[in-house]
Structures are given as C-alpha cells and as structure tokens.
Amino acid sequence: MSRAVAMASPLRCLVEDDDKYQQAFHLFLERSSEHQCMRDFINNILPGILSSVGGGKSHLDVIGVGSGDGDIDLEILSKLRLKHPGVTVHNHVVEPSGYQLRRYRGSVAKKQDLDHVTFDWNKMTASEFAEDWKAKKMTKKVDFIHMIQMLYYVKDVGATVDFFHSLLDKSGKLLILLVSGESGWGKLWRTYKTELCNSELSQCVTTADVKSILDSRGVSYKNYELISQMDITECFTPGDEKGELLLDFLTEVLDFSNSASPELKEGVLKLLRQPDCSVESDGRVLFNNNLGVIVLEPLTA
C-alpha cells in the first residue's frame, strides 16, 4: 500500500532506492494505525456493504485493482464468504509488481479455505487491464471491485474510476480507499504539490478529489472516514535516524533533509506541526493519517 511520488531534479524519489523505501514504509506501518483502521473497516463495516452484492447469484466475480501482496484482498474474500456461504468466486488480481504477485500467490498456496475461489493473475497496471478488457470485447459484469491505495498511480483518475464503475453488475459495488482529503497528507499535497508531486507518476490524489469528480458528474456515493494517526515526533529532532526516514516517507524524497532546499525543509516541518496536519499529545506529534472510503453502486440506465 505504498504512496510513491516522483520528484523533480535535484530531488530524488524515495522509491529509486528500494531498500530505503522498504525501510521507510515498514517504519510508517510501525508508527501509524493505518492497517489497523483498515482492518477495523473490513471487520465492522465491509460485511454490510458486501451483504447485497450478487443479488442471490451462486457465482460472484471480483476484481482487486492494485492488490499488492494480497493480504487485504484475502481478508476481503473471507468476509465475502461469510456473507455468501456456498457461493463460488472468480477473483481477478490486477497488480503491476511481479514481486508482489509472487508474494500473493505464495499466500494463496498456503491457505486452506480458498477452494471456492479461482484466481487469474494480471501483471499489469489498471490502465493496461482496462485496455486489455476492451480489446477482448469483454461483456462480463462484476459483482465487487476494490481499489485500495492505488489511484495515486494512474494518469487519469476520472477515466479509471469511470471504467471500473462501468463493469458493475446490477447488484455490484465499487470500493475506493485513499487518504482522506481532510488528512495531513491532503494539506501537505495541497501546499507543496508542485515541489513534491510529478503528475507523470503520481496524482497526489485524495478522496476529496475523487468526490469532486463524482459530484461534477452527478454520481452518488457513500463515504466513510477512517481515523488514523502516525507518530512523527522524531521528525523534529535534527539528525534522528528514524525521524529522517519518516520525513523521507512523508515527502517521498530520498534523503529529504539533506537534498531539499532550506526553505522547502523549513516550510514542510512548519506545516507538519500545524493543527490541520498534526496534534500534540503527551509530548508526541501525531500526524493526521486519516483514510477515506468511497462506495459506488452501478449507474442506473
């Protein structure tokens, strides 16, 4: 569930150094409640969303877009089975990373409760999947589609949402999860988008952007806010190793402290302490890492 942002020269993107990126990402997971708030949503809210998909059919089609290593996908499939026992499922996995797909397939091979699920593995981006689907003149409709932490990486957010929305069967649902427009990420990106985002690789998109697109088209949706925080206290201690790594992750800049201009560094650090980015509690600085979920139903004719 990474959020990679390409940088303009002389700043280098964090993902150019995969070892450093993985270190930063794992530290982010340690310091934030992101995965916990996602699992709370999957356990407490998602079952209600899934209860009506399929309209009583004995076979369901699912697409996971940007599935990563499959951990979240497999949790979703388990909730789907609880709501629809006895139903068979075909799961289309869309993921451009061969490494992540191998991890996903390895997890599937180890699980004992997936006899009712068939998988097809698509090593491609969302756009490539859409092009392939259209080229094959596919007419199949889909019962559930989820796009979790992946819309940052598409060039045309509106077109991507439109395509997958168009695939829904009459009882289908499309679930989109991104950082919330009300989060610290939203404030950071709105303020420093030109310095920190390169639209060739990342849109710095939040749920506010997606809702704006949907509102402009008159498309109705349900919206959920997931509360999450990240402890970034060490970011404000010069030279602190973990603080520097968290700063790299927040800005997606490799060695941000030493490569950013003094003005940019000062501005980012100042913004990160502002009340609409973070709160201070018991001497700790807690960054607003809220996520948002948008759920779409099929367009009515």
Side-chain angles (χ1 to χ4, degrees), residues 42 123 164 203:
I42 289 169
K123 185 180 179 295
F164 286 100
Q203 301 301 315

Side-chain angles (χ1 to χ4, degrees), residues 200-218:
E200 285 301 304
L201 285 183
S202 174
Q203 301 301 315
C204 292
V205 65
T206 71
T207 53
D209 301 302
V210 177
K211 287 189 279 188
S212 178
I213 292 168
L214 296 173
D215 290 342
S216 72
R217 294 172 184 176

Side-chain angles (χ1 to χ4, degrees), residues 161-231:
V161 172
D162 285 347
F163 169 74
F164 286 100
H165 194 195
S166 75
L167 301 186
L168 291 181
D169 202 1
K170 58 180 181 287
S171 299
K173 287 193 169 62
L174 168 61
L175 183 150
I176 298 166
L177 185 148
L178 286 169
V179 294
S180 167
E182 303 305 310
S183 68
W185 296 100
K187 175 68 173 177
L188 181 64
W189 289 344
R190 283 192 301 274
T191 307
Y192 289 107
K193 185 167 187 170
T194 55
E195 289 92 336
L196 299 180
C197 296
N198 179 329
S199 60
E200 285 301 304
L201 285 183
S202 174
Q203 301 301 315
C204 292
V205 65
T206 71
T207 53
D209 301 302
V210 177
K211 287 189 279 188
S212 178
I213 292 168
L214 296 173
D215 290 342
S216 72
R217 294 172 184 176
V219 176
S220 60
Y221 53 86
K222 288 186 178 176
N223 179 57
Y224 304 86
E225 195 83 359
L226 313 186
I227 305 303
S228 175
Q229 292 181 321
M230 170 170 51
D231 187 337

Side-chain angles (χ1 to χ4, degrees), residues 27 53 75 95 100 115 122 164 186 253 284 290 299:
L27 182 60
V53 304
E75 290 190 36
E95 170 56 50
Q100 295 284 51
D115 292 347
N122 301 276
F164 286 100
V253 177
R284 309 301 293 178
N290 287 4
L299 288 167

Side-chain angles (χ1 to χ4, degrees), residues 28-292:
F28 159 72
L29 292 180
E30 285 176 21
R31 292 302 183 88
S32 79
S33 57
E34 171 148 323
H35 274 191
Q36 185 56 52
C37 81
M38 287 169 64
R39 287 193 164 90
D40 288 346
F41 174 83
I42 289 169
N43 288 327
N44 300 321
I45 299 173
L46 182 64
I49 294 169
L50 294 175
S51 62
S52 62
V53 304
K57 293 191 298 186
S58 62
H59 178 80
L60 300 176
D61 276 281
V62 175
I63 301 177
V65 191
S67 292
D69 64 8
D71 279 359
I72 299 295
D73 286 35
L74 294 176
E75 290 190 36
I76 290 172
L77 288 172
S78 75
K79 297 303 177 192
L80 189 63
R81 187 177 200 186
L82 287 173
K83 280 295 174 182
H84 302 278
V87 167
T88 58
V89 176
H90 185 71
N91 188 46
H92 305 264
V93 179
V94 182
E95 170 56 50
S97 166
Y99 169 71
Q100 295 284 51
L101 277 179
R102 286 190 296 275
R103 292 183 67 194
Y104 193 157
R105 296 182 83 144
S107 296
V108 168
K110 292 173 188 171
K111 289 187 78 67
Q112 304 296 315
D113 57 351
L114 291 172
D115 292 347
H116 65 298
V117 184
T118 55
F119 292 83
D120 68 71
W121 307 94
N122 301 276
K123 185 180 179 295
M124 53 183 72
T125 65
S127 299
E128 289 165 345
F129 182 82
E131 289 166 13
D132 186 62
W133 189 280
K134 291 171 186 172
K136 292 176 178 173
K137 296 183 166 55
M138 298 282 283
T139 57
K140 178 167 68 173
K141 293 296 183 179
V142 180
D143 301 292
F144 186 63
I145 302 171
H146 54 87
M147 310 168 74
I148 295 175
Q149 296 286 43
M150 57 70 57
L151 277 179
Y152 316 108
Y153 312 117
V154 303
K155 288 190 177 180
D156 190 330
V157 172
T160 302
V161 172
D162 285 347
F163 169 74
F164 286 100
H165 194 195
S166 75
L167 301 186
L168 291 181
D169 202 1
K170 58 180 181 287
S171 299
K173 287 193 169 62
L174 168 61
L175 183 150
I176 298 166
L177 185 148
L178 286 169
V179 294
S180 167
E182 303 305 310
S183 68
W185 296 100
K187 175 68 173 177
L188 181 64
W189 289 344
R190 283 192 301 274
T191 307
Y192 289 107
K193 185 167 187 170
T194 55
E195 289 92 336
L196 299 180
C197 296
N198 179 329
S199 60
E200 285 301 304
L201 285 183
S202 174
Q203 301 301 315
C204 292
V205 65
T206 71
T207 53
D209 301 302
V210 177
K211 287 189 279 188
S212 178
I213 292 168
L214 296 173
D215 290 342
S216 72
R217 294 172 184 176
V219 176
S220 60
Y221 53 86
K222 288 186 178 176
N223 179 57
Y224 304 86
E225 195 83 359
L226 313 186
I227 305 303
S228 175
Q229 292 181 321
M230 170 170 51
D231 187 337
I232 61 169
T233 308
E234 286 87 353
C235 290
F236 306 97
T237 304
D240 184 279
E241 186 178 348
K242 290 187 174 179
E244 301 287 359
L245 204 53
L246 285 170
L247 262 182
D248 287 4
F249 187 80
L250 283 161
T251 60
E252 300 286 354
V253 177
L254 187 63
D255 195 20
F256 176 78
S257 280
N258 294 317
S259 57
S261 69
E263 295 80 15
L264 178 58
K265 182 181 176 182
E266 181 184 358
V268 166
L269 287 171
K270 184 177 180 182
L271 181 140
L272 289 174
R273 290 197 92 131
Q274 290 180 4
D276 47 1
C277 261
S278 300
V279 296
E280 298 198 27
S281 176
D282 297 327
R284 309 301 293 178
V285 182
L286 305 175
F287 181 75
N288 181 329
N289 188 60
N290 287 4
L291 306 176

